[in-house]
Amino acid sequence: MTIVSKNTSFYVSLFLFHILVTFVIIAISNNDYLSFLHNSHGFWNFTRDSSVYHREALQQVDYLNNYEWLKWYTSFAAHQNVKIISLTYWITGYSNPLSFAVINTLTWVLSVILIFKSSQLLFPKIRYLPFLIIIFFIQPSILFNSTQLLRDTFFLLGICFFIYGWVILEKDHSRWHWFFCMLLAFVFTISMRSYLFPILIFSLIGYMSWVIFKKKWMIFPFIVLISLLILYNSGVVNQE
């Protein structure tokens, strides 16, 4: 119980820390302080994609308000993150980047947790190492981008799922635990950067050929995973 309580407190602290940073950054970008770095309307000059995604999300909110689900689903296919942004705007009824703060924070926190747990599994005897490793997520560029309407946070989450998936596979955890982690990894990475699919899929096939040689029971989940990924990617490609 003590360990669970400590973990919960740690995760809650991460959440509150990121929410606080997000509110400070958004507050600055909505006033005249450091105005040479932003437009004073919530968008920073060096993350201009955020304003593009915001405009696209507003258009998708119109589709949702008019119950034009097909248009919402097929529009801006190259920017899948816009669907999540527009849904947040629509559900909250508040079409402002601030309403997306909780989603960004949850995504960032989950990425930290996945890497934290991966390092614990890999180096169980070095207790301080996981805390050193997650400093990566606090470096200015990573932390700042995770507060914006960008694809980077979701893409990074996909990479973290990859890492955690490989680790639990190596540690002989449940085959389906690994399966779902890898499936989520591909969904997040391919959705945000579809051009990486050939590199990721061939890397997976190459590595899994060696894994299956050692663990024959991995054949079935591997075939299911590849089939689902090809089906999903064909849908993404057809949208574009």
Side-chain angles (χ1 to χ4, degrees):
M1 290 296 293
T2 303
I3 295 177
V4 173
S5 178
K6 286 183 178 179
N7 286 341
T8 301
S9 299
F10 176 60
Y11 301 149
V12 171
S13 298
L14 286 173
F15 181 87
L16 294 176
F17 165 74
H18 193 273
I19 280 289
L20 177 61
V21 170
T22 301
F23 273 65
V24 170
I25 289 176
I26 291 178
I28 292 174
S29 63
N30 278 282
N31 61 43
D32 293 331
Y33 183 66
L34 297 177
S35 58
F36 64 97
L37 294 176
H38 57 78
N39 64 0
S40 300
H41 297 289
F43 297 102
W44 294 84
N45 297 334
F46 40 84
T47 60
R48 293 183 180 179
D49 284 350
S50 291
S51 58
V52 174
Y53 300 147
H54 175 68
R55 289 194 298 270
E56 293 176 350
L58 292 178
Q59 187 171 334
Q60 287 197 336
V61 169
D62 289 336
Y63 294 148
L64 291 172
N65 286 332
N66 296 323
Y67 303 104
E68 297 177 287
W69 299 102
L70 185 59
K71 282 187 177 180
W72 171 81
Y73 181 72
T74 57
S75 60
F76 309 114
H79 301 156
Q80 295 295 319
N81 60 313
V82 173
K83 289 184 174 63
I84 307 175
I85 299 171
S86 62
L87 272 176
T88 305
Y89 286 178
W90 185 60
I91 291 171
T92 61
Y94 188 55
S95 299
N96 187 286
L98 188 61
S99 65
F100 198 67
V102 173
I103 302 297
N104 267 337
T105 295
L106 289 174
T107 305
W108 181 85
V109 170
L110 182 54
S111 299
V112 174
I113 291 173
L114 289 171
I115 296 303
F116 188 83
K117 288 184 173 295
S118 297
S119 57
Q120 282 183 321
L121 289 172
L122 287 173
F123 309 101
K125 296 182 179 180
I126 311 177
R127 294 186 177 182
Y128 64 86
L129 188 60
F131 295 95
L132 291 178
I133 291 176
I134 63 174
I135 291 176
F136 167 79
F137 295 93
I138 306 177
Q139 63 169 299
S141 60
I142 298 296
L143 184 59
F144 182 90
N145 283 346
S146 69
T147 67
Q148 306 299 295
L149 301 179
L150 299 174
R151 295 184 290 178
D152 303 54
T153 307
F154 296 104
F155 182 76
L156 182 59
L157 178 59
I159 298 299
C160 292
F161 267 116
F162 269 126
I163 294 171
Y164 186 63
W166 291 129
V167 170
I168 59 178
L169 174 63
E170 184 63 28
K171 295 296 180 178
D172 288 324
H173 283 227
S174 167
R175 73 188 70 178
W176 295 111
H177 191 182
W178 168 86
F179 173 87
F180 287 114
C181 284
M182 296 303 292
L183 185 61
L184 287 171
F186 269 96
V187 168
F188 279 115
T189 54
I190 296 171
S191 296
M192 298 303 115
R193 303 280 190 273
S194 59
Y195 56 84
L196 291 177
F197 180 76
I199 298 174
L200 296 174
I201 198 70
F202 285 124
S203 298
L204 176 67
I205 292 174
Y207 180 77
M208 287 306 299
S209 299
W210 176 74
V211 171
I212 291 173
F213 178 76
K214 294 172 57 181
K215 307 173 183 179
K216 298 296 190 294
W217 53 267
M218 285 296 301
I219 294 178
F220 178 68
F222 174 64
I223 292 175
V224 174
L225 177 63
I226 292 296
S227 301
L228 289 175
L229 291 176
I230 292 175
L231 181 63
Y232 176 77
N233 188 64
S234 63
V236 172
V237 171
N238 289 335
Q239 282 188 58
E240 295 179 358

